[in-house]
Amino acid sequence: MVEQEIQDVEEALGIIYNLREKGNNALESARDILQHGVSDKILKTLLEKNYVRIEKEHLELTPAGEEIAVSITRRHRLAERLLADILSVGSEKIDSSACLMEHFLSPEVTEAICTLLGHPRLCPHGAKIPPGPCCKKKTTTVPSLVNTLAEMSVGQKARVLYLAGLQHSDIHKLLSLGIIPGQEIVLHQNSPAFIVKAGETNIALDKEIASKIYVRPADTH
Ligand SMILES: [Zn+2]
Ligand SMILES: [Zn+2]
Ligand SMILES: [Zn+2]
């Protein structure tokens, strides 16, 4: 396949992965979305190359298609996190920039970005990032620029980046206490509970909650 064709196949399989995640992979609408999002011929190409199959009027991924779809989705969502958290790119530009980057990330670079970001589980839109080998090993050959509040050392300063995997009620509580993206915090104590200072307020958190607050430590850059 020529480069453009590879990118189109990746793009299309990523779209199908997204549609299936939302339960929107009915053949008719999926065909439309692929036509507008990629090209007229892409569905034919995917069927010929055995990346997708049609089952009960739905578009399904074959194992070969699934492998590429997982990989491109992982690269796209990690690129989004990188753009949002480290490069502070505005939310309206995140998706299109990630879409350009994803095709050029080699497996090595993808792992390095994932490690740098502390193996994030969700993209900025709240979609799951498929884990890679580095997430299972929790590789730290490059120092993470992002970690969780639970991993901070006492006295360390950090900036809150995002909250992931918390109940809505917990998120509301944290936001009302001042644990909001962009807020600077200092960890005062990590046992028996975590105590952080956000602005003028001291906030006590249990470990379970602290491990779902992602921060960028102030002294690593
Ligand atoms: Zn894309
Ligand atoms: Zn996203
Ligand atoms: Zn990882």
Side-chain angles (χ1 to χ4, degrees):
M1 285 194 281
V2 292
E3 189 58 37
Q4 185 58 49
E5 202 184 349
I6 294 172
Q7 285 189 25
D8 283 354
V9 164
E10 286 184 334
E11 196 65 36
L13 292 171
I15 290 173
I16 296 166
Y17 186 94
N18 264 280
L19 291 174
R20 192 191 55 188
E21 221 170 30
K22 300 187 193 115
N24 291 340
N25 57 327
L27 179 60
E28 202 126 323
S29 56
R31 182 194 285 132
D32 257 19
I33 292 166
L34 289 174
Q35 241 167 34
H36 290 114
V38 187
S39 79
D40 284 347
K41 298 163 295 182
I42 192 67
L43 184 55
K44 192 166 160 268
T45 308
L46 295 181
L47 285 163
E48 276 170 11
K49 295 197 182 295
N50 197 31
Y51 289 138
V52 296
R53 59 191 156 76
I54 294 165
E55 203 178 287
K56 296 186 187 135
E57 290 300 299
H58 279 68
L59 200 53
E60 303 289 352
L61 295 161
T62 64
E66 181 82 26
E67 198 181 319
I68 298 172
V70 166
S71 164
I72 195 70
T73 302
R74 172 167 161 74
R75 282 177 273 154
H76 182 91
R77 293 177 182 171
L78 280 172
E80 288 183 333
R81 274 258 80 101
L82 181 74
L83 291 160
D85 299 341
I86 306 298
L87 307 178
S88 303
V89 171
S91 56
E92 70 290 350
K93 294 243 175 67
I94 286 181
D95 189 56
S96 56
S97 307
C99 232
L100 292 175
M101 283 173 71
E102 64 197 16
H103 306 288
F104 303 103
L105 298 178
S106 67
E108 293 75 24
V109 173
T110 305
E111 300 277 282
I113 292 173
C114 191
T115 303
L116 189 73
L117 298 175
H119 311 284
R121 283 169 290 185
L122 299 175
C123 84
H125 309 98
K128 273 209 182 81
I129 301 175
C134 62
C135 308
K136 284 155 204 157
K137 285 183 283 173
K138 285 260 173 197
T139 325
T140 49
T141 39
V142 286
S144 288
L145 286 182
V146 175
N147 51 36
T148 68
L149 197 153
E151 293 161 322
M152 286 173 68
S153 35
V154 173
Q156 198 175 28
K157 269 192 201 155
R159 205 172 276 283
V160 176
L161 287 174
Y162 60 95
L163 316 169
L166 284 163
Q167 307 276 349
H168 256 275
S169 55
D170 287 330
I171 293 176
H172 281 289
K173 205 171 113 202
L174 289 170
L175 294 177
S176 70
L177 289 169
I179 302 287
I180 48 175
Q183 173 68 48
E184 253 196 37
I185 54 168
V186 185
L187 185 68
H188 279 324
Q189 179 189 310
N190 61 7
S191 151
F194 288 81
I195 298 193
V196 291
K197 192 168 180 194
E200 293 308 309
T201 322
N202 282 315
I203 302 159
L205 304 162
D206 62 32
K207 184 161 188 186
E208 155 115 51
I209 302 266
S211 64
K212 289 171 178 164
I213 301 170
Y214 285 76
V215 300
R216 184 175 185 189
D219 50 1
T220 56
H221 59 99

